[in-house]
């Protein structure tokens, strides 16, 4: 049976998240249950590989967010927003179009003893906007441009997209991380690509040279 359990995140043990139990049923679902799952996908009940990768990156490199106004777009469980708060962000706003995800983010932030504000729309401006595993839906590609209108710099982590259509984004890192609990995804989805965009005329974080983690 599926349930939500609070667990320390493997590979990011300073964060505890309420996620679906690791032994959730994987067999065929009755038709009406399947329809409900598809109509209201609970993305927030998993920590996606890209979110785990970006959380690890931020915790290991806190200067990217410390003292800054941070937005996590497509927050899901809130893993990236919580990492930013733990890394010393001045303020973190977690945006998600799904009200259940906003609730999950708020509950998980409380579980980790950090303040994260939630919103259904982007705040007017922030220093840095973070986006992990949101480009699985090609209809979300315009978010890359929208993010630039709201932020001085943007970090995108995605394991399903290896190139971005906007040449203003530079790939700065690849990080190996699996979705938790493990969904048994294709091997190629075990590597998150980290892309960085910065506004040319604003004071932003110097990018590290490209390398692999
Ligand atoms: C695959 S989950 C990733 C969650 C989290 N970032 C992580 O890495 O674990 C994608 C999240 O993006 C949200 N989302 C999808 N499209 C969105 C949009 N256009 N605006 C805001 N949130 C969106 C979904 O509701 C979902 O919570």
């Amino acid at each position: 049976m599926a349930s939500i359990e609070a667990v320390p995140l493997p590979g990011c043990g300073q964060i505890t998240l309420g996620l679906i139990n690791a032994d959730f049923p994987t067999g065929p679902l009755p038709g009406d249950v399947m329809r409900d799952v598809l109509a209201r996908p609970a993305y927030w009940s998993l920590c996606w590989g890209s979110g785990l990768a970006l959380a690890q990156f931020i915790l290991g490199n806190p200067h990217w967010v410390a003292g800054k106004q941070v937005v996590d777009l497509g927050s899901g469980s809130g893993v990236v927003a919580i990492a930013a708060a733990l890394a010393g962000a001045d303020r973190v706003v977690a945006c998600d179009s799904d009200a259940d995800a906003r609730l999950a983010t708020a509950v998980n932030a409380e579980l980790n003893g950090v303040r994260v504000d939630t919103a259904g729309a982007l705040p007017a401006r922030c220093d840095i906007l973070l986006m992990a595993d949101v480009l699985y839906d090609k209809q979300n590609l315009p978010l890359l441009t929208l993010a630039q209108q709201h932020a001085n710099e943007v970090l995108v982590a995605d394991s399903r997209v290896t190139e971005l259509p906007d040449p203003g984004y530079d790939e700065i890192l690849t990080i190996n991380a699996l979705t938790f609990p493990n969904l048994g995804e294709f091997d190629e989805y075990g590597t998150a690509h980290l892309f960085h965009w910065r506004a040319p005329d604003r004071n932003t974080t110097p990018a590290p040279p490209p390398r692999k983690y």
Side-chain angles (χ1 to χ4, degrees):
M1 192 176 133
S3 62
I4 298 298
E5 296 172 351
V7 283
L9 195 54
C12 219
Q14 54 277 66
I15 296 180
T16 294
L17 293 177
L19 299 173
I20 193 167
N21 49 314
D23 58 349
F24 64 90
T26 52
L29 295 171
D32 55 333
V33 176
M34 180 59 89
R35 268 190 298 280
D36 285 350
V37 168
L38 292 176
R40 201 173 164 185
Y43 294 121
W44 56 267
S45 67
L46 296 146
C47 173
W48 296 83
S50 314
L52 176 56
L54 187 50
Q56 288 173 335
F57 176 76
I58 288 167
L59 288 168
N61 302 274
H63 63 281
W64 280 82
V65 297
K68 295 185 180 176
Q69 305 280 317
V70 178
V71 166
D72 174 18
L73 177 56
S75 62
S77 66
V79 60
V80 172
I82 292 165
L86 289 172
D90 185 43
R91 183 181 182 220
V92 184
V93 179
C95 292
D96 203 293
S97 48
D98 177 4
D100 292 340
R102 297 197 294 274
L103 179 60
T105 293
V107 169
N108 284 326
E110 199 172 324
L111 201 59
N112 288 275
V114 292
R115 177 172 174 188
V116 171
D117 297 327
T118 60
L122 284 175
R125 283 227 63 81
C126 66
D127 295 313
I128 182 162
L129 185 147
L130 311 171
M131 200 186 330
D133 211 336
V134 180
L135 302 179
Y136 59 92
D137 182 348
K138 295 289 168 277
Q139 290 191 346
N140 278 340
L141 285 172
L143 292 179
L144 293 170
T145 306
L146 185 70
Q148 293 166 343
Q149 292 159 4
H150 288 261
N152 292 343
E153 59 189 319
V154 182
L155 272 179
V156 176
D158 216 292
S159 52
R160 282 153 232 280
V161 177
T162 53
E163 283 179 23
L164 299 187
D166 181 337
Y169 284 87
D170 294 319
E171 184 170 357
I172 56 170
L173 278 180
T174 55
I175 303 172
N176 294 330
L178 293 174
T179 296
F180 182 81
N182 194 334
L183 277 179
E185 293 170 295
F186 296 122
D187 287 350
E188 68 207 67
Y189 293 155
T191 301
H193 300 259
L194 189 57
F195 302 93
H196 179 222
W197 171 87
R198 73 177 92 187
D201 55 339
R202 301 203 193 109
N203 186 21
T204 52
T205 314
R211 64 188 165 99
K212 284 192 176 201
Y213 256 28

